[in-house]
Amino acid sequence: PGRGRPSARAAAMGMKRVDTAKDVGAKTFTARELLATATSGKDDRLLIAIDGRVHDVTGWTKHHPGGATLLKQHAGHDASDVFAAFHAPEVYRKLRAFDVGAFEPDDAIAMENSSDSESDDAFSDDSVAAADRSDLKKQNRARELAAFRDLRERVRKEGLFEPSYAHMFGTFLRLFVIGAFAAVFSFAPNSTPRGRILGAALLGLFWQQSLLIAHDACHRVMTTNTKVDKWIGSVFGTLIGGVGAAWWNMEHCEHHCVTQVVGGDPSAGAAPVLCLEPQTKGLPKIGRALVKLQALYYVPVCIFIGRFNLHLISILKAPSKGKALDVALMTGYMSYVYGLTRLVPESERWRWFMIANAVCGVLHLILNMNHYPMPMLSFPESQALGWLRFQCVTTMNIASSSLTGWYYGGLEWQIEHHLFPTMPRHNLRKVSHRVKELCLANGVPYHVAEGGFWDANWSVMKTLHDVARGLVI
C-alpha cells in the first residue's frame, strides 16, 4: 500500500482505508483507555499501540504471519518494541492503514504492574521512600529502554541485520559434509557395525543442524526474502528435519514475544510432564506425583521422546493455512527415513534408528537450557519491565567456544537472539559485548552459564527438582 491506500488484498484483510493525514484517527487513547478496550468487554476491537499510534488490527488476526494469539496477547498494550523486534523498517509504512488514533503512555500503569520480585536489585534499598523508588524506577526504565533502542538502530545501520551469503554457504557446506559421511558410514558395502553406529550418530547431527538452519530461515535471517526463507524453513525443517515449519513458526513467535510468561509461552514447560513452578497450580494428584519425578526423567524424555513428540504435535497443532504443506513434507520425511532404515542390516535397524534420533534429541536440551532456570512472570509484569529487561530477566546465555558455538547454531547467544530475533546468528557474538555493556551500565541482569552445556543443564534439573520438592501430593 502506498501513502495510506491499502490494496484490494489489504482491504480484504481488514485494513482501514486512510487517504489523507486528516483522516487518520484523531482520538487520543490514554494507556488506561487502551487497556480498557481489551478488558472491559464493551469494545470488540483489537487495538494495539505502536510508536505513539493506536492501530485496529481486528481484521488482521487471520492473516498475521505470527498467528492470531500474539495480537490477542498484546491487545490493549503498547507493542512498540515487540513490533520493532520482528519487523523490518519498511513494514512500518503499512501501519498507517490500521491507524485509529494517538497513544498517550501512562507510567503509572507500568508501575502498578511491576513488582519487587522482578530481579531489579537497583531499587531494593528499603531506605528509599516508596514514592521516590517508584520515580527512580520509572526514570531507569525510560533510560535503559532508550539506550537499547539507540543500540538497535546503530547495529542496524552497521549492517548487522544483513545476511551473509558466505556464512550461509559455509553452513550448507558443513551440512553436506556431515550428511555425506553419515551416508558412507551407514550404507557403504564394506561398513562395519561400529561404522554404522557412527553413521547413525552423524545422521542425528545432520538432522540437528538441518533444524538449526530451519530455525534461522523461519526467523527470516537466511536471505531476508520472506518467500525464499519460508521455503528453506519448510525443506530443512519439515522435509529433512521432521518438524512442521508452520507450527514451529507460530509457536516460536509466541515464545519470543512472551518468554517465560505464565500461560503465554508455549515453550515454557510441558505440563503435566515437565512443570515450572506456576504451572503446578491446579494439577490433579496423579499430575503432582509425576512432577515429583521430573528431574529424574527430564534428560531421557528430551533425548528419546521429545523428537517423536514434535513429529506428532507439529502436525496436529499446525495452523490450517500451512497444514497441507507440512503434512505433505512430513510424509516425505517419513518415507525417506523408512527407506534409509531399509538400507541397514535388519539386525541393526532399531539400534541405528534410535541412535540417530537420540543424537538429534540433544537439541531439546539445548532449546530448554536458556530459559528453564529463569523466573516466570505474569504478562503485566513482563510489560512493566520493558523489552530489554524482560528478555534479560527470562533468558540466559551459554559460555561456548567456536566449536560448541557451531554445534549450538547461535542459540548460545540467547539473550542477543531474543533482543534481536531478526539478526543472523553469525552477528550475535559481535553484538554481545555491546549488549552486556548496556546491561551493566543500567543495572539490567545479564546471565551466563559459565560452565557451558553441563552447567546450564544442571541448573535446569535443579530448577525442576526445586519445583518438585515444594509440591505437596
Side-chain angles (χ1 to χ4, degrees):
R3 192 164 178 78
R5 293 179 181 267
S7 63
R9 178 174 181 270
M13 290 179 177
M15 292 184 180
K16 296 178 178 294
R17 179 181 177 126
V18 180
D19 291 319
T20 68
K22 184 178 180 180
D23 293 324
V24 174
K27 176 177 173 56
T28 296
F29 293 81
T30 66
R32 291 183 186 278
E33 289 174 333
L34 183 63
L35 183 60
T37 64
T39 58
S40 66
K42 299 179 181 179
D43 196 327
D44 59 359
R45 294 177 299 171
L46 202 162
L47 304 182
I48 292 175
I50 299 173
D51 290 351
R53 302 299 302 179
V54 176
H55 305 281
D56 183 354
V57 295
T58 310
W60 185 241
T61 54
K62 294 181 180 180
H63 310 280
H64 184 232
T69 301
L70 278 182
L71 297 179
K72 294 175 182 178
Q73 285 171 334
H74 289 84
H77 293 274
D78 185 347
S80 299
D81 289 294
V82 178
F83 188 88
F86 286 92
H87 298 84
E90 56 267 23
V91 179
Y92 279 81
R93 63 184 176 85
K94 298 181 180 181
L95 288 176
R96 185 178 173 83
F98 299 92
D99 196 297
V100 294
F103 176 64
E104 187 176 282
D106 184 352
D107 292 332
I109 287 186
M111 291 304 103
E112 288 172 8
N113 291 329
S114 66
S115 69
D116 293 332
S117 60
E118 62 188 33
S119 301
D120 188 358
D121 297 332
F123 302 100
S124 60
D125 188 352
D126 293 334
S127 65
V128 181
D132 291 340
R133 186 164 61 247
S134 178
D135 288 339
L136 286 172
K137 188 177 287 188
K138 284 189 286 186
Q139 293 170 16
N140 182 70
R141 292 289 185 271
R143 184 176 63 251
E144 68 190 36
L145 197 53
F148 168 70
R149 290 171 176 172
D150 178 65
L151 174 62
R152 183 172 59 206
E153 290 309 306
R154 282 188 283 121
V155 297
R156 185 177 296 280
K157 290 177 181 178
E158 292 170 14
L160 295 185
F161 285 91
E162 297 300 317
S164 167
Y165 292 102
H167 181 272
M168 185 168 62
F169 175 78
T171 301
F172 283 120
L173 180 61
R174 285 192 298 268
L175 184 68
F176 173 79
V177 171
I178 293 170
F181 276 103
V184 169
F185 282 105
S186 294
F187 312 123
N190 60 345
S191 183
T192 63
R194 289 183 178 179
R196 283 186 283 273
I197 289 175
L198 176 58
L202 288 171
L203 176 61
L205 181 61
F206 174 80
W207 282 336
Q208 183 237 18
Q209 292 296 312
S210 294
L211 289 171
L212 290 173
I213 287 176
H215 172 259
D216 289 346
C218 288
H219 272 280
R220 308 296 185 251
V221 300
M222 292 292 288
T223 68
T224 68
N225 181 303
T226 298
K227 292 183 178 179
V228 174
D229 282 344
K230 186 177 180 180
W231 178 82
I232 293 173
S234 293
V235 170
F236 286 88
T238 312
L239 179 61
I240 296 177
V243 177
W247 164 82
W248 180 92
N249 184 70
M250 176 184 67
E251 181 171 284
H252 198 65
C253 283
E254 294 173 19
H255 160 68
H256 268 269
C257 292
V258 288
T259 310
Q260 292 290 94
V261 168
V262 180
D265 185 354
S267 299
V273 180
L274 295 171
C275 288
L276 301 177
E277 188 166 4
Q279 299 168 326
T280 60
K281 296 178 181 178
L283 282 179
K285 188 173 182 179
I286 188 171
R288 295 196 299 272
L290 192 63
V291 170
K292 281 288 187 180
L293 303 174
Q294 65 179 358
L296 297 177
Y297 60 65
Y298 169 71
V299 172
V301 163
C302 284
I303 292 179
F304 297 108
I305 300 177
R307 178 160 170 74
F308 301 111
N309 179 57
L310 284 191
H311 292 338
L312 182 63
I313 67 172
S314 66
I315 294 301
L316 294 180
K317 294 186 177 182
S320 56
K321 188 176 181 180
K323 178 168 278 191
L325 177 61
D326 276 2
V327 169
L329 293 178
M330 278 295 292
T331 301
Y333 165 79
M334 290 186 287
S335 298
Y336 94 75
V337 171
Y338 174 77
L340 292 181
T341 305
R342 298 284 296 177
L343 298 176
V344 178
E346 187 173 359
S347 62
E348 301 176 30
R349 286 175 186 169
W350 182 248
R351 181 181 66 188
W352 180 87
F353 177 76
M354 289 305 297
I355 289 174
N357 280 280
V359 169
C360 184
V362 176
L363 180 59
H364 292 270
L365 298 178
I366 296 172
L367 295 173
N368 293 338
M369 66 186 182
N370 302 101
H371 299 292
Y372 271 36
M374 311 309 291
M376 294 196 72
L377 308 171
S378 68
F379 184 76
E381 285 174 332
S382 72
Q383 292 290 292
L385 289 175
W387 183 253
L388 171 66
R389 187 175 291 264
F390 164 48
Q391 294 296 345
C392 289
V393 164
T394 56
T395 307
M396 177 172 67
N397 280 357
I398 312 299
S400 64
S401 63
S402 298
L403 178 61
T404 56
W406 162 79
Y407 178 70
Y408 296 146
L411 297 182
E412 74 277 21
W413 301 108
Q414 193 73 188
I415 292 174
E416 288 72 22
H417 174 54
H418 269 249
L419 292 175
F420 310 112
T422 58
M423 181 178 288
R425 70 165 89 162
H426 61 277
N427 286 332
L428 296 175
R429 180 188 293 271
K430 296 178 183 178
V431 79
S432 63
H433 69 281
R434 295 161 77 173
V435 171
K436 186 175 182 178
E437 289 174 358
L438 175 64
C439 290
L440 292 176
N442 290 277
V444 177
Y446 186 90
H447 301 283
V448 181
E450 297 294 351
F453 177 87
W454 304 107
D455 181 21
N457 277 284
W458 177 255
S459 295
V460 171
M461 289 187 284
K462 185 178 183 301
T463 298
L464 296 174
H465 172 71
D466 290 344
V467 171
R469 188 174 58 181
L471 194 64
V472 177
I473 297 179

